[in-house]
């Protein structure tokens, strides 16, 4: 059986290192250029600084590497993830074989997929997450390099820790769960709860189910369902969550997800969607650029959406929109390295 080659693994390690250098050396230099012009004393300085910095060679390198490290990671014809997995179909099948007939998995191959999902290869993942049997494996391999300066999946572990400070939950829905990066830590923190992860992507869910089969967890299920119309009964859950889902959905879809979250929550239940939200003109500029460079087509509209108003319109109360530290100290104003502006959008359904 062919397996991923040493050359492919070495290439992916190189890509990871490139990402680290981009985040920890190139970005701080760029940020310093910006800060040299905008010292915070005058709001007009932000636009002036952005105009100057965006014309520098340093910024062009920043853009180029952001676009191409991700493109090479997925689509390099020799050692990219797609070529690597395409070349080892038996190995791919073996990785997700345990999902076959798993009691933890409910697949629905006839599930209608919303149109927006096919509009763009999100974060440059070829064919999005529905194109190939190895899509879950490919997303898992990619996801480890995307947040430099954090331990593997640290943001999701910390999110689960935060949830544990907000209540004691017995039925939890994790929307857009992917391969379960966040579903697993929640199920571990709440052993008494039934935790369900839903996603459109069958290959991601198969990987998630294969992972459960290899672990000592029985309070977790995965189902192929649409977060916009999940099919669960009213008041089915006391916590509805998602991580990094909202920015991949058009505004009207986000509004629908909020209404759906509200409908599925029992009275007094809580919603917690973890995503991104720039808090400065500089970060908004960088994230707008990122959305182009990384095929995140719905992100700019999400960043400008009034989430407080949208959550209130869905019926929620106690709405909180807070910065979230994906690792210790990351939200400090002098944090020098590249990071996404992680933000928690939380609220409660009236009791
Ligand atoms: C950026 S990934 C995040 C995955 C995971 N939550 C994480 O934080 O790593 C977004 C996920 O949302 C899923 N997704 C997008 N639209 C969806 C929808 N309408 N219903 C369910 N899942 C959806 C995608 O398939 C993908 O797995």
């Amino acid at each position: 059986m062919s397996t991923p080659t040493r050359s492919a693994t070495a290439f992916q390690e190189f890509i990871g290192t490139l990402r680290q250098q981009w985040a920890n050396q190139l970005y701080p230099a760029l940020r310093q250029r910006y800060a040299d012009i905008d010292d915070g004393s005058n709001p007009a300085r932000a636009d002036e600084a952005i105009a100057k910095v965006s014309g520098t060679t340093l910024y062009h390198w920043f853009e180029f590497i952001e676009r191409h490290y991700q493109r090479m990671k997925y689509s390099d014809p020799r050692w990219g993830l797609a070529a690597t997995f395409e070349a080892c179909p038996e190995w791919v099948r073996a990785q997700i074989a345990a999902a076959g007939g798993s009691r933890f998995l409910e697949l629905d191959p006839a599930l209608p997929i919303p149109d927006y999902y096919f509009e763009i290869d999100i974060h440059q993942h070829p064919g999005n997450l529905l194109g190939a049997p190895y899509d879950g494996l490919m997303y898992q391999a990619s996801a480890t390099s995307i947040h430099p300066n954090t331990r593997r999946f640290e943001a999701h572990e910390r999110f689960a820790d935060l949830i544990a400070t907000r209540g004691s939950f017995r039925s939890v829905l994790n929307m857009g769960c992917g391969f379960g990066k966040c579903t697993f830590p929640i199920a571990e923190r709440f052993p008494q709860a039934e935790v369900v992860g839903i996603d459109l992507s069958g290959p991601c869910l198969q990987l998630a189910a294969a992972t459960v089969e290899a672990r000592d967890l029985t309070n977790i299920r995965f189902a192929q369902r649409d977060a916009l119309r999940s099919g669960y009964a009213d008041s089915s859950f006391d916590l509805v969550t998602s991580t990094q889902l909202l920015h991949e959905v058009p505004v009207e879809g986000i509004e629908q997800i909020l209404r759906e979250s509200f409908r599925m929550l029992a009275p007094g239940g809580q919603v917690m969607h973890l995503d991104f939200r720039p808090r400065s003109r500089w970060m908004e500029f960088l994230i707008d650029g990122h959305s182009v460079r990384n095929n995140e087509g719905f992100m700019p509209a999400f960043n400008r959406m009034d989430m407080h108003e949208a959550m209130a319109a869905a019926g929620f109360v106690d709405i909180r929109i807070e910065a979230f530290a994906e690792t210790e100290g990351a939200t400090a104003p002098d944090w020098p390295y590249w990071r996404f502006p992680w933000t928690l959008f939380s609220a409660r359904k009236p009791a």
Side-chain angles (χ1 to χ4, degrees), residues 33 49-60 63 285:
R33 291 258 181 115
I50 287 166
K52 288 207 170 121
V53 169
S54 63
T56 60
T57 307
L58 192 63
Y59 181 66
H60 296 322
E63 293 183 290
F285 161 74

Side-chain angles (χ1 to χ4, degrees), residues 111 114 116-117 122-123 128-130 139 143 156 174-183 198-201 204 225-229 242-249 257 274 296 342:
L111 180 73
Y116 75 81
Y117 202 73
I122 282 255
H123 47 74
N128 215 341
L129 293 167
L130 271 181
Y139 184 37
H156 297 73
N174 181 212
M175 296 169 147
C177 64
F179 56 89
K181 215 194 288 179
C182 190
T183 333
I198 61 168
D199 205 286
L200 299 171
S201 166
C204 281
R225 295 189 184 220
D226 183 352
L228 275 62
R229 46 192 76 78
S242 76
T243 55
Q244 305 184 94
L245 166 68
L246 300 184
H247 75 263
E248 297 203 351
V249 177
I257 285 175
L274 182 64
E296 304 274 5
W342 289 92

